[in-house]
Amino acid sequence: MAGDSNVTYLTLEGHVQLLKYRYVYFSITLALFILIICSNTIVLYLIYDDESLHEPMYIFIAALLSNALFGSIALYPKLLIDLLSETQTIARSACLLQSFFLYLYAGSEFTLLSAMAFDRYVSICRPLQYHSLVRTQIVKLILLLAWFLPACEIGIAIILTSRLQLCRFTLRRIACDNFSLVKSSCGDTRINNLYGLFILTISIFPYFIFIVFSYTKILIISLRNSKDFRRGALHTCLPHLVVFINFMVICVFEVIQNRIPSGIPHFVRSVASILYLVIPPLFNPVIYGFKMREISKRLKALLKLR
């Protein structure tokens, strides 16, 4: 649909029975958003406030939680507004911008999870080289690249999409994504599709292979050592591994259900399209808050549970 001043608007048609369950959806979404903001902020505060936690492992955890806040802010405010609105519309430029931020969150998440795997690999498999390989300058460079590289990759995809002419002005989604925008466009989209496949490949597989390699090496080293060594390695690696598997499964499911036609109900598709910004941001601070010993101790003290 076209709006004032030649601004192109899109209608988000992913909402199911919105008129009937509007306030139920709004209440649940608002509660999720508040929980995500509060839980991530609390763990971030604990890491920031305690200098003993200013180590690479905890800095990467803080970066992961900050990324969750960034992605949540890109999704939930607009979603909450839509749930209370009569029409769920968004300007095309705003839709492209939201797509960029949501994809940036996902791309940075994989990079940060890889950085955490690298930190644990060096710490456990090459402890004598840890302080030379994971020094402050390296950590800062990794954090810079964690957002800069995905921003460049996704920025190109968004620019390519912005050059296409729209044929349809509706998206069967509850939030914008670049893939749906390309499908709604006219003309030759082969370059967009090829570049999208390229980005998808380099944004997932290299990190996946590296993370699997790192934790496999950690497992091999742990099995060769004492029970205490294995217990310590499991204690520091298990939360990271759970977070990675959780995020990977959600992303793979989203990619499959988004690109392969199937009989999946529309409601399931709509919910699945935002799971990567529901489950990880909600459960990651819980996992790190209660499974990482140093953070857990400070969290219990903060909540006066001891």
Side-chain angles (χ1 to χ4, degrees):
M1 59 182 285
D4 296 335
S5 303
N6 295 321
V7 176
T8 301
Y9 285 89
L10 298 163
T11 301
L12 300 172
E13 294 187 336
H15 300 278
V16 178
Q17 294 187 318
L18 183 56
L19 291 177
K20 185 177 181 180
Y21 298 110
R22 180 188 305 277
Y23 296 107
V24 175
Y25 292 160
F26 179 83
S27 300
I28 293 173
T29 304
L30 180 61
L32 285 173
F33 188 40
I34 292 173
L35 282 172
I36 288 170
I37 295 294
C38 291
S39 58
N40 284 275
T41 301
I42 288 172
V43 178
L44 280 169
Y45 168 76
L46 293 173
I47 295 173
Y48 171 80
D49 187 59
D50 195 323
E51 290 190 3
S52 66
L53 298 182
H54 295 180
E55 299 177 1
M57 178 172 66
Y58 299 107
I59 292 173
F60 288 135
I61 291 174
L64 194 74
L65 300 182
S66 298
N67 192 51
L69 288 175
F70 169 78
S72 299
I73 291 171
L75 171 68
Y76 286 98
K78 169 60 177 168
L79 180 56
L80 287 168
I81 292 171
D82 283 344
L83 291 174
L84 293 181
S85 301
E86 292 300 321
T87 57
Q88 293 70 48
T89 59
I90 184 171
R92 189 191 185 199
S93 57
C95 193
L96 288 166
L97 189 63
Q98 186 183 54
S99 298
F100 172 78
F101 286 137
L102 295 181
Y103 279 48
L104 177 58
Y105 154 77
S108 298
E109 197 85 347
F110 276 111
T111 311
L112 291 169
L113 289 170
S114 299
M116 297 165 82
F118 169 73
D119 174 74
R120 292 300 83 204
Y121 167 75
V122 177
S123 175
I124 295 171
C125 301
R126 299 186 179 182
L128 298 178
Q129 299 175 285
Y130 184 80
H131 292 292
S132 61
L133 292 176
V134 195
R135 57 186 187 274
T136 303
Q137 292 83 353
I138 297 296
V139 172
K140 290 180 179 178
L141 178 62
I142 290 174
L143 292 178
L144 175 64
L145 294 177
W147 281 286
F148 179 74
L149 288 180
C152 292
E153 296 165 355
I154 297 160
I156 294 173
I158 297 298
I159 291 171
L160 289 173
T161 302
S162 68
R163 296 168 63 89
L164 295 173
Q165 181 182 355
L166 285 176
C167 285
R168 297 195 305 272
F169 299 92
T170 59
L171 301 178
R172 292 183 62 79
R173 311 278 288 186
I174 58 178
C176 293
D177 74 282
N178 191 59
F179 181 72
S180 297
L181 285 170
V182 171
K183 287 201 301 183
S184 299
S185 300
C186 307
D188 190 353
T189 60
R190 284 179 296 179
I191 293 177
N192 299 75
N193 293 328
L194 287 173
Y195 184 76
L197 182 61
F198 169 72
I199 290 300
L200 183 65
T201 302
I202 67 172
S203 296
I204 294 180
F205 289 107
Y207 299 123
F208 175 79
I209 292 170
F210 176 77
I211 291 172
V212 170
F213 166 80
S214 298
Y215 286 115
T216 301
K217 293 290 290 185
I218 289 171
L219 177 63
I220 293 172
I221 294 294
S222 298
L223 291 175
R224 293 175 181 173
N225 283 274
S226 64
K227 276 188 176 181
D228 289 337
F229 185 93
R230 289 197 294 272
R231 190 179 298 111
L234 180 65
H235 178 76
T236 60
C237 292
L238 186 59
H240 304 314
L241 196 54
V242 170
V243 167
F244 165 69
I245 293 172
N246 178 38
F247 188 72
M248 190 70 190
V249 169
I250 291 170
C251 287
V252 169
F253 179 71
E254 163 63 3
V255 170
I256 292 174
Q257 69 94 17
N258 199 24
R259 286 165 172 76
I260 298 178
S262 66
I264 299 175
H266 180 56
F267 178 78
V268 175
R269 283 182 176 270
S270 296
V271 173
S273 69
I274 60 168
L275 277 181
Y276 71 110
L277 269 165
V278 174
I279 296 177
L282 193 60
F283 287 100
N284 288 1
V286 175
I287 292 171
Y288 288 123
F290 290 99
K291 293 301 181 181
M292 300 295 290
R293 184 182 296 117
E294 295 303 317
I295 298 178
S296 179
K297 286 194 304 184
R298 287 154 182 80
L299 180 59
K300 290 177 181 177
L302 179 68
L303 300 177
K304 301 187 185 302
L305 295 178
R306 66 174 187 178

